[in-house]
Amino acid sequence: MKLFNKYKFSDKSQTLGGTISTIMGILALVCFGYGAYLSFRTDGNAGLQVGSLALLSLMLAAIGTLIGLLSFKEDNKFYTLSRVGSLLCGLLSIFMIAVFLMGI
């Protein structure tokens, strides 16, 4: 059984939008994590710093979702990073919107 001997000899590359979307998703996750760290460190009294980090995280995730979904239009490319970036940014967007709605 040769399950792990899958070689790809191709001149295809990853999509640019997928790469950008994945990077934006990681940055949004880092911003959210740092905001949560600040909030826990100050016992929930972080105020404007955490709010601005959360808004930055939401904007990065929303824009990353859009860029990731638009990157599927590129022809003759690998779409692995497009899928990863779109999924990561989409889940972060939904989570951040839910957090904001719980705070209202």
Side-chain angles (χ1 to χ4, degrees):
M1 246 177 123
K2 294 185 178 183
L3 293 175
F4 298 107
N5 292 334
K6 296 180 181 178
Y7 297 108
K8 293 182 182 179
F9 295 106
S10 174
D11 58 349
K12 292 182 183 181
S13 62
Q14 293 290 337
T15 60
L16 178 63
T19 305
I20 292 171
S21 175
T22 305
I23 290 171
M24 289 180 82
I26 291 170
L27 286 175
L29 192 61
V30 166
C31 286
F32 174 72
Y34 185 63
Y37 168 73
L38 285 177
S39 181
F40 280 120
R41 196 177 79 194
T42 60
D43 295 325
N45 296 320
L48 189 61
Q49 289 178 331
V50 173
S52 62
L53 282 172
L55 282 175
L56 177 66
S57 175
L58 177 62
M59 288 190 320
L60 284 172
I63 293 169
T65 302
L66 182 67
I67 291 173
L69 291 176
L70 290 176
S71 70
F72 285 106
K73 291 184 178 181
E74 296 181 31
D75 291 331
N76 202 19
K77 300 279 185 170
F78 290 126
Y79 299 110
T80 305
L81 287 180
S82 296
R83 289 184 186 111
V84 169
S86 297
L87 185 65
L88 177 64
C89 288
L91 289 175
L92 276 170
S93 295
I94 292 170
F95 180 73
M96 291 306 298
I97 290 171
V99 167
F100 281 126
L101 289 178
M102 284 189 307
I104 291 179

